[in-house]
Each structure stands twice: as structure tokens, then as C-alpha cells.
Amino acid sequence: VQLQASGGGLVQAGGSLRLSCAASRITFSAYAMGWFRQAPGKEREFVTAISRSGSSTYYTDSVKDRFTVSRDNAKNTMYLQMNSLKPEDTAVYYCAADPKPAQAMGVKAFPIPKYWGQGTLVTVSS
């Protein structure tokens, strides 16, 4: 299984970025997908998850109404549209895949997702 995250970069506060996560060697539609992030000196945190079909999505409160997760099962790709970016969104963003339901990804009581990408750096300047 390979998850390749891309699309990170440097953007000013208030700007937008779109991250992609391309999956290979995986039955993409059989896995819930999610994004996590880790800021310098902080623990990795859940950002968002999307169900296998894409019909259900879940967000951490700090990104609701600013970030939108989507997936294209025909292209084996998940996306994260990030708008109204803030300096506190600065982090390495990781995509993840898991056979458990998407709503489990944001719950610390559950094991962490099974597969992870390598991360892409998002830097938001003030």
C-alpha cells in the first residue's frame, strides 16, 4: 500500500491550498480515508475523515467551515480543500487509510489508521 500526499506549500493567511492523496496497491473504495496534521513541537492531531463512499465526512472543530474533504474512488485519490488558512494551520499534513468506519478515525480510543502517507508541509504566514 502506498499513499502519496502532495499539494503543500507556503501561503499567506487567508489563502487557500488543495492537498491530494493518491493511493496505490489498495482497494481504495474499501477504506475510509483521513487527514491528520502535526505542527512543530505538538502531537499529531486528527483533521478530517471521509467514508468509503464519500457520503459522510467528519471534521475537527478548528477546521469546520474552512476545510472540505472529498474523494474520487475512480482515481484512487482523496482531496483536502483548505480555505481561509490561518498561521495555526501550519503543520505537516498526513493522509491515512483504514478499514474501520470513518467516524472512528477521530476517536483516540480507537487504534490509529492502518496505512499512512509520507506527509506534505503546509506553512501559513501571517
Side-chain angles (χ1 to χ4, degrees), residues 63-78:
V63 307
K64 284 179 181 177
D65 301 323
R66 298 190 298 122
F67 290 11
T68 302
V69 63
S70 62
R71 65 189 294 165
D72 185 338
N73 286 350
K75 295 183 178 180
N76 286 5
T77 303
M78 174 181 61

Side-chain angles (χ1 to χ4, degrees), residues 2-126:
Q2 185 172 11
L3 301 177
Q4 182 73 40
S6 62
L10 174 64
V11 63
Q12 288 188 331
S16 298
L17 279 175
R18 189 193 197 203
L19 306 184
S20 298
C21 176
S24 58
R25 296 192 287 273
I26 186 176
T27 304
F28 187 69
S29 60
Y31 287 80
M33 299 293 295
W35 290 96
F36 292 73
R37 66 186 180 186
Q38 187 167 19
K42 295 188 177 181
E43 291 186 353
R44 183 174 57 196
E45 65 171 349
F46 168 78
V47 177
T48 181
I50 186 167
S51 62
R52 298 177 186 91
S53 67
S55 60
S56 298
T57 56
Y58 308 87
Y59 298 91
T60 192
D61 287 345
S62 62
V63 307
K64 284 179 181 177
D65 301 323
R66 298 190 298 122
F67 290 11
T68 302
V69 63
S70 62
R71 65 189 294 165
D72 185 338
N73 286 350
K75 295 183 178 180
N76 286 5
T77 303
M78 174 181 61
Y79 306 97
L80 182 63
Q81 179 65 44
M82 305 186 294
N83 299 329
S84 302
L85 282 161
K86 304 176 180 179
E88 51 264 43
D89 294 319
T90 295
V92 177
Y93 284 71
Y94 299 91
C95 58
D98 199 77
K100 295 190 300 297
Q103 58 263 43
M105 277 199 178
V107 180
K108 290 187 176 181
F110 287 95
I112 63 172
K114 187 173 183 179
Y115 300 113
W116 292 85
Q118 86 291 355
T120 185
L121 176 62
V122 172
T123 303
V124 185
S125 63
S126 57

